[in-house]
Amino acid sequence: LPIVVLLLRCTLRSSAVQQTSGSTHHPQRAWLSSQVPLCGHHTPKHRTGLYGPFTHPQQTLGSSRGPLSLPLFTQRVALSQGPNTSTAKIRLRTRLVVTLLFGGGLLGTWWYVRNEKQQNHRMQRIEQLKKVALGQGDFSLLDHRGHRRTKRDFLGSWVLLYFGFTHCPDICPDELDKISAVVSALDKDPSLPAVQPLFVTVDPERDDVPALERYVKDFHPRLIGLTGTPEEVKVAGKDYRVYASPGPKDEDGDYIVDHTILIYLVNPDGLFLDYYNRMKDDVQIAESVRNHMKSYIKLPE
Amino acid sequence: MSAPNSNQRKACWGARDELWKCLDDNQDNASSCEQFQKEYEASCPAQWVKHFTKRRDFLKYKEKMQTEGFEPADGPKESQS
């Protein structure tokens, strides 16, 4: 920063030197010009200390706004006559332009650094979640058309995974609507790969293939429902540390399953990258998925 | 008994919202909202009725905590030996 300040003073000083027609006829002015300049070139006769006595760099940086330079500036304006008022105006404009450029440069730097920091945070989060290493295992389930699907079948696609059950009163439909909205939003961008939404049941007792088929058609057309035997479903759930606990049955055998309400993002290599809870809306999730896609580097074969 | 489809879900949520609006307007006086109550119970599976009732109780409780504050519990009492 001090180096920049020195450069600034040099540019301003040299422009001032060029523009001042000045003869040092006033004693005060003479005193000013006797200040030792910090820049290379100057004419001994027309040495003008722009900022007068050496002040703290921060204060001189204020240029036309600095408290110390302003009285000096107005003094000089009062002292100068005729042609010198226009040079004073030019000097002011130069100073303003340089200040704005410098300010712009600062702002640009700040913005760039901020973006780098955000990127760093994102990478750190991905590293942490990779350590958690959810979804490392394999699952083997039946989709809502009765075809057997394993985790391998979904490698090569980005997956948004949600665990729920069809008898769910409000949360599962809400979350699936949200996922549908996210997928539709991302579909609109042709530069992004298609996302595969998956719905795995935590209630295999009731959610068989026909039940799932009836359920998934109310959501995004690409949504695949997955079910299986209680064992198979348990393996899939355990892989993602999904908590599921069927509640007490009532008179007509109906019950509600208490379960983890999270949407999991899995990348084309089958790695769990991120999760989204109820607080995240579809816009935020779409933005997050987009960022993950952009920073995705394919693992070597 | 198969799960409600999208239309049935929406009908149930609508009936529930009508009932809750009535209760809000009548300071939770259940007797003024009997018609809505009947409608609600007819549109929703029994489990969902229980679930939403519990949810409303929780929301009311939460509101009470936020507006009126609460007394922290005393902690476990000394056991009588």
Side-chain angles (χ1 to χ4, degrees):
Chain A
L1 197 62
I3 298 172
V4 185
V5 172
L6 281 171
L7 278 171
L8 193 65
R9 290 176 62 159
C10 281
T11 37
L12 287 171
R13 191 184 300 267
S14 45
S15 66
V17 165
Q18 278 154 23
Q19 283 154 10
T20 330
S21 52
S23 37
T24 56
H25 51 36
H26 197 276
Q28 224 162 355
R29 219 138 169 237
W31 170 68
L32 286 173
S33 58
S34 69
Q35 299 309 307
V36 178
L38 292 171
C39 300
H41 58 71
H42 60 272
T43 47
K45 277 214 167 78
H46 299 291
R47 232 189 283 162
T48 353
L50 197 63
Y51 298 106
F54 186 81
T55 53
H56 191 272
Q58 292 300 82
Q59 276 182 304
T60 52
L61 192 61
S63 70
S64 53
R65 294 192 299 272
L68 204 64
S69 54
L70 201 53
L72 268 152
F73 172 71
T74 44
Q75 226 175 7
R76 205 174 305 130
V77 170
L79 290 170
S80 55
Q81 301 141 358
N84 282 349
T85 33
S86 57
T87 56
K89 279 205 184 93
I90 298 168
R91 208 179 296 144
L92 172 62
R93 201 185 308 149
T94 317
R95 275 201 267 183
L96 270 176
V97 166
V98 176
T99 313
L100 279 171
L101 280 174
F102 185 68
L106 269 180
L107 214 69
T109 312
W110 169 82
W111 190 76
Y112 173 75
V113 167
R114 183 167 155 269
N115 271 4
E116 282 290 300
K117 198 167 159 190
Q118 279 178 340
Q119 178 70 354
N120 269 351
H121 275 180
R122 274 202 286 270
M123 296 315 285
Q124 265 180 1
R125 185 171 151 81
I126 292 177
E127 289 306 310
Q128 282 167 352
L129 289 176
K130 277 195 184 145
K131 285 209 187 90
V132 171
L134 290 188
Q136 292 285 293
D138 204 355
F139 60 72
S140 171
L141 297 164
L142 286 174
D143 72 12
H144 62 276
R145 294 203 178 90
H147 302 135
R148 180 136 305 262
R149 309 283 219 130
T150 65
K151 186 174 174 196
R152 211 160 294 275
D153 294 337
F154 298 107
L155 291 179
S157 305
W158 287 86
V159 169
L160 278 173
L161 178 59
Y162 180 72
F163 289 82
F165 65 111
T166 66
H167 283 73
C168 185
D170 50 358
I171 297 178
C172 303
D174 270 349
E175 295 299 288
L176 286 173
D177 271 334
K178 200 161 71 177
I179 292 178
S180 303
V182 170
V183 175
S184 299
L186 293 171
D187 279 346
K188 287 205 185 92
D189 187 344
S191 69
L192 298 175
V195 176
Q196 175 59 62
L198 292 182
F199 172 69
V200 180
T201 182
V202 293
D203 187 12
E205 314 275 346
R206 286 185 297 185
D207 290 345
D208 53 9
V209 169
L212 278 187
E213 208 210 346
R214 283 193 296 273
Y215 195 66
V216 302
K217 65 173 159 48
D218 284 331
F219 305 103
H220 195 277
R222 281 211 303 280
L223 178 67
I224 295 179
L226 293 167
T227 181
T229 66
E231 263 314 306
E232 288 166 337
V233 162
K234 203 158 103 180
V235 163
K238 223 167 148 187
D239 205 14
Y240 287 89
R241 297 198 208 163
V242 169
Y243 156 74
S245 168
K249 291 195 168 106
D250 68 11
E251 307 85 42
D252 49 6
D254 197 0
Y255 56 90
I256 289 189
V257 182
D258 191 20
H259 62 94
T260 316
I261 312 165
L262 289 179
I263 300 170
Y264 302 89
L265 177 68
V266 181
N267 79 1
D269 296 318
L271 277 177
F272 160 68
L273 279 189
D274 213 343
Y275 66 88
Y276 311 106
N277 59 22
R278 292 263 283 163
M279 309 286 280
K280 295 270 185 287
D281 67 16
D282 56 313
V283 174
Q284 290 167 316
I285 298 178
E287 184 62 34
S288 170
V289 175
R290 217 176 271 124
N291 281 335
H292 279 291
M293 282 175 167
K294 290 208 176 107
S295 49
Y296 170 60
I297 305 156
K298 194 160 164 45
L299 286 181
E301 291 295 319
Chain B
M1 188 197 82
S2 64
N5 66 19
S6 175
N7 290 337
Q8 290 165 328
R9 284 199 293 268
K10 291 201 171 78
C12 167
W13 297 339
R16 173 203 64 187
D17 291 338
E18 295 280 300
L19 173 65
W20 285 7
K21 186 161 156 313
C22 170
L23 288 175
D24 284 340
D25 292 340
N26 290 291
Q27 286 89 36
D28 291 339
N29 186 352
S31 47
S32 344
C33 302
E34 268 181 31
Q35 183 51 36
F36 292 113
Q37 184 75 25
K38 282 201 185 72
E39 178 68 39
Y40 165 57
E41 283 173 15
S43 317
C44 301
Q47 271 288 299
W48 292 23
V49 169
K50 285 197 196 109
H51 172 85
F52 289 132
T53 309
K54 269 197 276 186
R55 177 129 187 94
R56 185 176 168 83
D57 288 344
F58 171 72
L59 288 171
K60 289 274 146 192
Y61 176 72
K62 188 169 143 187
E63 203 186 301
K64 185 159 160 274
M65 288 296 111
Q66 284 168 339
T67 51
E68 291 173 23
F70 64 99
E71 299 263 332
D74 284 339
K77 290 205 164 58
E78 294 289 340
S79 60
Q80 324 288 61
S81 47

mmCIF file with all atom_site columns, all heavy atoms in Angstrom, chain A residues 208-224:
data_model
loop_
_atom_site.group_PDB
_atom_site.id
_atom_site.type_symbol
_atom_site.label_atom_id
_atom_site.label_alt_id
_atom_site.label_comp_id
_atom_site.label_asym_id
_atom_site.label_entity_id
_atom_site.label_seq_id
_atom_site.pdbx_PDB_ins_code
_atom_site.Cartn_x
_atom_site.Cartn_y
_atom_site.Cartn_z
_atom_site.occupancy
_atom_site.B_iso_or_equiv
_atom_site.pdbx_formal_charge
_atom_site.auth_seq_id
_atom_site.auth_comp_id
_atom_site.auth_asym_id
_atom_site.auth_atom_id
_atom_site.pdbx_PDB_model_num
ATOM 1   N N   . ASP A 1 208 ? -44.989 -50.815 -2.183  1.00 0.00 ? 208 ASP A N   1
ATOM 2   C CA  . ASP A 1 208 ? -44.507 -51.763 -3.186  1.00 0.00 ? 208 ASP A CA  1
ATOM 3   C C   . ASP A 1 208 ? -44.442 -51.052 -4.539  1.00 0.00 ? 208 ASP A C   1
ATOM 4   O O   . ASP A 1 208 ? -44.705 -49.857 -4.640  1.00 0.00 ? 208 ASP A O   1
ATOM 5   C CB  . ASP A 1 208 ? -45.406 -52.995 -3.250  1.00 0.00 ? 208 ASP A CB  1
ATOM 6   C CG  . ASP A 1 208 ? -46.876 -52.633 -3.445  1.00 0.00 ? 208 ASP A CG  1
ATOM 7   O OD1 . ASP A 1 208 ? -47.166 -51.437 -3.703  1.00 0.00 ? 208 ASP A OD1 1
ATOM 8   O OD2 . ASP A 1 208 ? -47.731 -53.516 -3.336  1.00 0.00 ? 208 ASP A OD2 1
ATOM 9   N N   . VAL A 1 209 ? -44.121 -51.814 -5.584  1.00 0.00 ? 209 VAL A N   1
ATOM 10  C CA  . VAL A 1 209 ? -43.915 -51.202 -6.903  1.00 0.00 ? 209 VAL A CA  1
ATOM 11  C C   . VAL A 1 209 ? -45.157 -50.447 -7.394  1.00 0.00 ? 209 VAL A C   1
ATOM 12  O O   . VAL A 1 209 ? -45.044 -49.290 -7.817  1.00 0.00 ? 209 VAL A O   1
ATOM 13  C CB  . VAL A 1 209 ? -43.445 -52.266 -7.923  1.00 0.00 ? 209 VAL A CB  1
ATOM 14  C CG1 . VAL A 1 209 ? -43.489 -51.721 -9.322  1.00 0.00 ? 209 VAL A CG1 1
ATOM 15  C CG2 . VAL A 1 209 ? -42.057 -52.757 -7.580  1.00 0.00 ? 209 VAL A CG2 1
ATOM 16  N N   . PRO A 1 210 ? -46.368 -51.027 -7.342  1.00 0.00 ? 210 PRO A N   1
ATOM 17  C CA  . PRO A 1 210 ? -47.546 -50.272 -7.808  1.00 0.00 ? 210 PRO A CA  1
ATOM 18  C C   . PRO A 1 210 ? -47.781 -48.996 -6.999  1.00 0.00 ? 210 PRO A C   1
ATOM 19  O O   . PRO A 1 210 ? -48.152 -47.962 -7.566  1.00 0.00 ? 210 PRO A O   1
ATOM 20  C CB  . PRO A 1 210 ? -48.709 -51.251 -7.622  1.00 0.00 ? 210 PRO A CB  1
ATOM 21  C CG  . PRO A 1 210 ? -48.097 -52.594 -7.521  1.00 0.00 ? 210 PRO A CG  1
ATOM 22  C CD  . PRO A 1 210 ? -46.751 -52.402 -6.931  1.00 0.00 ? 210 PRO A CD  1
ATOM 23  N N   . ALA A 1 211 ? -47.549 -49.081 -5.684  1.00 0.00 ? 211 ALA A N   1
ATOM 24  C CA  . ALA A 1 211 ? -47.754 -47.893 -4.834  1.00 0.00 ? 211 ALA A CA  1
ATOM 25  C C   . ALA A 1 211 ? -46.819 -46.775 -5.253  1.00 0.00 ? 211 ALA A C   1
ATOM 26  O O   . ALA A 1 211 ? -47.208 -45.606 -5.352  1.00 0.00 ? 211 ALA A O   1
ATOM 27  C CB  . ALA A 1 211 ? -47.531 -48.254 -3.368  1.00 0.00 ? 211 ALA A CB  1
ATOM 28  N N   . LEU A 1 212 ? -45.560 -47.152 -5.522  1.00 0.00 ? 212 LEU A N   1
ATOM 29  C CA  . LEU A 1 212 ? -44.585 -46.151 -5.944  1.00 0.00 ? 212 LEU A CA  1
ATOM 30  C C   . LEU A 1 212 ? -44.954 -45.573 -7.305  1.00 0.00 ? 212 LEU A C   1
ATOM 31  O O   . LEU A 1 212 ? -44.799 -44.382 -7.539  1.00 0.00 ? 212 LEU A O   1
ATOM 32  C CB  . LEU A 1 212 ? -43.182 -46.754 -6.010  1.00 0.00 ? 212 LEU A CB  1
ATOM 33  C CG  . LEU A 1 212 ? -42.421 -46.853 -4.696  1.00 0.00 ? 212 LEU A CG  1
ATOM 34  C CD1 . LEU A 1 212 ? -41.002 -47.297 -4.959  1.00 0.00 ? 212 LEU A CD1 1
ATOM 35  C CD2 . LEU A 1 212 ? -42.417 -45.540 -3.959  1.00 0.00 ? 212 LEU A CD2 1
ATOM 36  N N   . GLU A 1 213 ? -45.427 -46.438 -8.176  1.00 0.00 ? 213 GLU A N   1
ATOM 37  C CA  . GLU A 1 213 ? -45.787 -45.953 -9.506  1.00 0.00 ? 213 GLU A CA  1
ATOM 38  C C   . GLU A 1 213 ? -46.885 -44.905 -9.425  1.00 0.00 ? 213 GLU A C   1
ATOM 39  O O   . GLU A 1 213 ? -46.833 -43.875 -10.090 1.00 0.00 ? 213 GLU A O   1
ATOM 40  C CB  . GLU A 1 213 ? -46.232 -47.121 -10.372 1.00 0.00 ? 213 GLU A CB  1
ATOM 41  C CG  . GLU A 1 213 ? -45.974 -46.865 -11.836 1.00 0.00 ? 213 GLU A CG  1
ATOM 42  C CD  . GLU A 1 213 ? -46.941 -47.552 -12.756 1.00 0.00 ? 213 GLU A CD  1
ATOM 43  O OE1 . GLU A 1 213 ? -47.673 -48.449 -12.286 1.00 0.00 ? 213 GLU A OE1 1
ATOM 44  O OE2 . GLU A 1 213 ? -46.971 -47.178 -13.943 1.00 0.00 ? 213 GLU A OE2 1
ATOM 45  N N   . ARG A 1 214 ? -47.874 -45.175 -8.571  1.00 0.00 ? 214 ARG A N   1
ATOM 46  C CA  . ARG A 1 214 ? -48.958 -44.198 -8.392  1.00 0.00 ? 214 ARG A CA  1
ATOM 47  C C   . ARG A 1 214 ? -48.410 -42.904 -7.827  1.00 0.00 ? 214 ARG A C   1
ATOM 48  O O   . ARG A 1 214 ? -48.862 -41.820 -8.184  1.00 0.00 ? 214 ARG A O   1
ATOM 49  C CB  . ARG A 1 214 ? -50.013 -44.752 -7.413  1.00 0.00 ? 214 ARG A CB  1
ATOM 50  C CG  . ARG A 1 214 ? -50.951 -45.785 -8.014  1.00 0.00 ? 214 ARG A CG  1
ATOM 51  C CD  . ARG A 1 214 ? -52.135 -46.015 -7.075  1.00 0.00 ? 214 ARG A CD  1
ATOM 52  N NE  . ARG A 1 214 ? -51.733 -46.586 -5.788  1.00 0.00 ? 214 ARG A NE  1
ATOM 53  C CZ  . ARG A 1 214 ? -51.610 -47.898 -5.560  1.00 0.00 ? 214 ARG A CZ  1
ATOM 54  N NH1 . ARG A 1 214 ? -51.842 -48.762 -6.522  1.00 0.00 ? 214 ARG A NH1 1
ATOM 55  N NH2 . ARG A 1 214 ? -51.244 -48.334 -4.361  1.00 0.00 ? 214 ARG A NH2 1
ATOM 56  N N   . TYR A 1 215 ? -47.430 -43.025 -6.933  1.00 0.00 ? 215 TYR A N   1
ATOM 57  C CA  . TYR A 1 215 ? -46.934 -41.851 -6.217  1.00 0.00 ? 215 TYR A CA  1
ATOM 58  C C   . TYR A 1 215 ? -46.066 -40.948 -7.082  1.00 0.00 ? 215 TYR A C   1
ATOM 59  O O   . TYR A 1 215 ? -46.260 -39.740 -7.121  1.00 0.00 ? 215 TYR A O   1
ATOM 60  C CB  . TYR A 1 215 ? -46.135 -42.327 -4.993  1.00 0.00 ? 215 TYR A CB  1
ATOM 61  C CG  . TYR A 1 215 ? -45.867 -41.268 -3.966  1.00 0.00 ? 215 TYR A CG  1
ATOM 62  C CD1 . TYR A 1 215 ? -46.909 -40.692 -3.235  1.00 0.00 ? 215 TYR A CD1 1
ATOM 63  C CD2 . TYR A 1 215 ? -44.572 -40.838 -3.696  1.00 0.00 ? 215 TYR A CD2 1
ATOM 64  C CE1 . TYR A 1 215 ? -46.665 -39.735 -2.281  1.00 0.00 ? 215 TYR A CE1 1
ATOM 65  C CE2 . TYR A 1 215 ? -44.318 -39.881 -2.734  1.00 0.00 ? 215 TYR A CE2 1
ATOM 66  C CZ  . TYR A 1 215 ? -45.365 -39.336 -2.027  1.00 0.00 ? 215 TYR A CZ  1
ATOM 67  O OH  . TYR A 1 215 ? -45.122 -38.384 -1.070  1.00 0.00 ? 215 TYR A OH  1
ATOM 68  N N   . VAL A 1 216 ? -45.097 -41.541 -7.796  1.00 0.00 ? 216 VAL A N   1
ATOM 69  C CA  . VAL A 1 216 ? -44.108 -40.702 -8.482  1.00 0.00 ? 216 VAL A CA  1
ATOM 70  C C   . VAL A 1 216 ? -44.679 -39.942 -9.667  1.00 0.00 ? 216 VAL A C   1
ATOM 71  O O   . VAL A 1 216 ? -44.112 -38.934 -10.073 1.00 0.00 ? 216 VAL A O   1
ATOM 72  C CB  . VAL A 1 216 ? -42.847 -41.488 -8.920  1.00 0.00 ? 216 VAL A CB  1
ATOM 73  C CG1 . VAL A 1 216 ? -42.191 -42.140 -7.722  1.00 0.00 ? 216 VAL A CG1 1
ATOM 74  C CG2 . VAL A 1 216 ? -43.164 -42.498 -9.984  1.00 0.00 ? 216 VAL A CG2 1
ATOM 75  N N   . LYS A 1 217 ? -45.806 -40.400 -10.198 1.00 0.00 ? 217 LYS A N   1
ATOM 76  C CA  . LYS A 1 217 ? -46.299 -39.693 -11.386 1.00 0.00 ? 217 LYS A CA  1
ATOM 77  C C   . LYS A 1 217 ? -46.828 -38.300 -11.066 1.00 0.00 ? 217 LYS A C   1
ATOM 78  O O   . LYS A 1 217 ? -47.064 -37.507 -11.981 1.00 0.00 ? 217 LYS A O   1
ATOM 79  C CB  . LYS A 1 217 ? -47.342 -40.529 -12.140 1.00 0.00 ? 217 LYS A CB  1
ATOM 80  C CG  . LYS A 1 217 ? -48.623 -40.813 -11.431 1.00 0.00 ? 217 LYS A CG  1
ATOM 81  C CD  . LYS A 1 217 ? -49.570 -41.511 -12.434 1.00 0.00 ? 217 LYS A CD  1
ATOM 82  C CE  . LYS A 1 217 ? -50.684 -42.308 -11.802 1.00 0.00 ? 217 LYS A CE  1
ATOM 83  N NZ  . LYS A 1 217 ? -51.454 -41.688 -10.755 1.00 0.00 ? 217 LYS A NZ  1
ATOM 84  N N   . ASP A 1 218 ? -46.996 -37.969 -9.790  1.00 0.00 ? 218 ASP A N   1
ATOM 85  C CA  . ASP A 1 218 ? -47.418 -36.618 -9.421  1.00 0.00 ? 218 ASP A CA  1
ATOM 86  C C   . ASP A 1 218 ? -46.270 -35.625 -9.408  1.00 0.00 ? 218 ASP A C   1
ATOM 87  O O   . ASP A 1 218 ? -46.477 -34.441 -9.147  1.00 0.00 ? 218 ASP A O   1
ATOM 88  C CB  . ASP A 1 218 ? -48.048 -36.632 -8.021  1.00 0.00 ? 218 ASP A CB  1
ATOM 89  C CG  . ASP A 1 218 ? -49.460 -37.205 -8.047  1.00 0.00 ? 218 ASP A CG  1
ATOM 90  O OD1 . ASP A 1 218 ? -50.130 -37.067 -9.082  1.00 0.00 ? 218 ASP A OD1 1
ATOM 91  O OD2 . ASP A 1 218 ? -49.879 -37.784 -7.033  1.00 0.00 ? 218 ASP A OD2 1
ATOM 92  N N   . PHE A 1 219 ? -45.044 -36.113 -9.665  1.00 0.00 ? 219 PHE A N   1
ATOM 93  C CA  . PHE A 1 219 ? -43.885 -35.232 -9.591  1.00 0.00 ? 219 PHE A CA  1
ATOM 94  C C   . PHE A 1 219 ? -43.137 -35.221 -10.920 1.00 0.00 ? 219 PHE A C   1
ATOM 95  O O   . PHE A 1 219 ? -43.705 -35.582 -11.946 1.00 0.00 ? 219 PHE A O   1
ATOM 96  C CB  . PHE A 1 219 ? -42.988 -35.657 -8.422  1.00 0.00 ? 219 PHE A CB  1
ATOM 97  C CG  . PHE A 1 219 ? -43.739 -35.719 -7.117  1.00 0.00 ? 219 PHE A CG  1
ATOM 98  C CD1 . PHE A 1 219 ? -44.126 -36.932 -6.577  1.00 0.00 ? 219 PHE A CD1 1
ATOM 99  C CD2 . PHE A 1 219 ? -44.077 -34.557 -6.456  1.00 0.00 ? 219 PHE A CD2 1
ATOM 100 C CE1 . PHE A 1 219 ? -44.838 -36.983 -5.390  1.00 0.00 ? 219 PHE A CE1 1
ATOM 101 C CE2 . PHE A 1 219 ? -44.799 -34.598 -5.271  1.00 0.00 ? 219 PHE A CE2 1
ATOM 102 C CZ  . PHE A 1 219 ? -45.184 -35.807 -4.746  1.00 0.00 ? 219 PHE A CZ  1
ATOM 103 N N   . HIS A 1 220 ? -41.900 -34.816 -10.904 1.00 0.00 ? 220 HIS A N   1
ATOM 104 C CA  . HIS A 1 220 ? -41.128 -34.660 -12.155 1.00 0.00 ? 220 HIS A CA  1
ATOM 105 C C   . HIS A 1 220 ? -41.129 -35.971 -12.948 1.00 0.00 ? 220 HIS A C   1
ATOM 106 O O   . HIS A 1 220 ? -40.969 -37.037 -12.383 1.00 0.00 ? 220 HIS A O   1
ATOM 107 C CB  . HIS A 1 220 ? -39.696 -34.261 -11.819 1.00 0.00 ? 220 HIS A CB  1
ATOM 108 C CG  . HIS A 1 220 ? -38.936 -33.745 -12.987 1.00 0.00 ? 220 HIS A CG  1
ATOM 109 N ND1 . HIS A 1 220 ? -38.322 -34.591 -13.899 1.00 0.00 ? 220 HIS A ND1 1
ATOM 110 C CD2 . HIS A 1 220 ? -38.700 -32.482 -13.427 1.00 0.00 ? 220 HIS A CD2 1
ATOM 111 C CE1 . HIS A 1 220 ? -37.751 -33.855 -14.835 1.00 0.00 ? 220 HIS A CE1 1
ATOM 112 N NE2 . HIS A 1 220 ? -37.950 -32.583 -14.574 1.00 0.00 ? 220 HIS A NE2 1
ATOM 113 N N   . PRO A 1 221 ? -41.310 -35.903 -14.270 1.00 0.00 ? 221 PRO A N   1
ATOM 114 C CA  . PRO A 1 221 ? -41.382 -37.121 -15.082 1.00 0.00 ? 221 PRO A CA  1
ATOM 115 C C   . PRO A 1 221 ? -40.152 -38.024 -14.968 1.00 0.00 ? 221 PRO A C   1
ATOM 116 O O   . PRO A 1 221 ? -40.263 -39.235 -15.158 1.00 0.00 ? 221 PRO A O   1
ATOM 117 C CB  . PRO A 1 221 ? -41.524 -36.588 -16.517 1.00 0.00 ? 221 PRO A CB  1
ATOM 118 C CG  . PRO A 1 221 ? -41.332 -35.132 -16.451 1.00 0.00 ? 221 PRO A CG  1
ATOM 119 C CD  . PRO A 1 221 ? -41.573 -34.696 -15.055 1.00 0.00 ? 221 PRO A CD  1
ATOM 120 N N   . ARG A 1 222 ? -38.974 -37.432 -14.635 1.00 0.00 ? 222 ARG A N   1
ATOM 121 C CA  . ARG A 1 222 ? -37.787 -38.285 -14.531 1.00 0.00 ? 222 ARG A CA  1
ATOM 122 C C   . ARG A 1 222 ? -37.624 -38.910 -13.146 1.00 0.00 ? 222 ARG A C   1
ATOM 123 O O   . ARG A 1 222 ? -36.726 -39.715 -12.938 1.00 0.00 ? 222 ARG A O   1
ATOM 124 C CB  . ARG A 1 222 ? -36.516 -37.492 -14.867 1.00 0.00 ? 222 ARG A CB  1
ATOM 125 C CG  . ARG A 1 222 ? -36.279 -37.297 -16.335 1.00 0.00 ? 222 ARG A CG  1
ATOM 126 C CD  . ARG A 1 222 ? -34.790 -37.234 -16.650 1.00 0.00 ? 222 ARG A CD  1
ATOM 127 N NE  . ARG A 1 222 ? -34.073 -36.193 -15.940 1.00 0.00 ? 222 ARG A NE  1
ATOM 128 C CZ  . ARG A 1 222 ? -34.063 -34.918 -16.289 1.00 0.00 ? 222 ARG A CZ  1
ATOM 129 N NH1 . ARG A 1 222 ? -34.755 -34.516 -17.335 1.00 0.00 ? 222 ARG A NH1 1
ATOM 130 N NH2 . ARG A 1 222 ? -33.382 -34.023 -15.581 1.00 0.00 ? 222 ARG A NH2 1
ATOM 131 N N   . LEU A 1 223 ? -38.509 -38.561 -12.201 1.00 0.00 ? 223 LEU A N   1
ATOM 132 C CA  . LEU A 1 223 ? -38.353 -39.105 -10.848 1.00 0.00 ? 223 LEU A CA  1
ATOM 133 C C   . LEU A 1 223 ? -38.526 -40.617 -10.862 1.00 0.00 ? 223 LEU A C   1
ATOM 134 O O   . LEU A 1 223 ? -39.506 -41.141 -11.387 1.00 0.00 ? 223 LEU A O   1
ATOM 135 C CB  . LEU A 1 223 ? -39.381 -38.467 -9.904  1.00 0.00 ? 223 LEU A CB  1
ATOM 136 C CG  . LEU A 1 223 ? -39.358 -38.980 -8.460  1.00 0.00 ? 223 LEU A CG  1
ATOM 137 C CD1 . LEU A 1 223 ? -38.079 -38.581 -7.756  1.00 0.00 ? 223 LEU A CD1 1
ATOM 138 C CD2 . LEU A 1 223 ? -40.561 -38.456 -7.691  1.00 0.00 ? 223 LEU A CD2 1
ATOM 139 N N   . ILE A 1 224 ? -37.549 -41.314 -10.269 1.00 0.00 ? 224 ILE A N   1
ATOM 140 C CA  . ILE A 1 224 ? -37.639 -42.778 -10.175 1.00 0.00 ? 224 ILE A CA  1
ATOM 141 C C   . ILE A 1 224 ? -37.877 -43.141 -8.718  1.00 0.00 ? 224 ILE A C   1
ATOM 142 O O   . ILE A 1 224 ? -37.156 -42.678 -7.828  1.00 0.00 ? 224 ILE A O   1
ATOM 143 C CB  . ILE A 1 224 ? -36.332 -43.442 -10.665 1.00 0.00 ? 224 ILE A CB  1
ATOM 144 C CG1 . ILE A 1 224 ? -36.146 -43.171 -12.156 1.00 0.00 ? 224 ILE A CG1 1
ATOM 145 C CG2 . ILE A 1 224 ? -36.354 -44.937 -10.393 1.00 0.00 ? 224 ILE A CG2 1
ATOM 146 C CD1 . ILE A 1 224 ? -34.863 -43.763 -12.719 1.00 0.00 ? 224 ILE A CD1 1
#
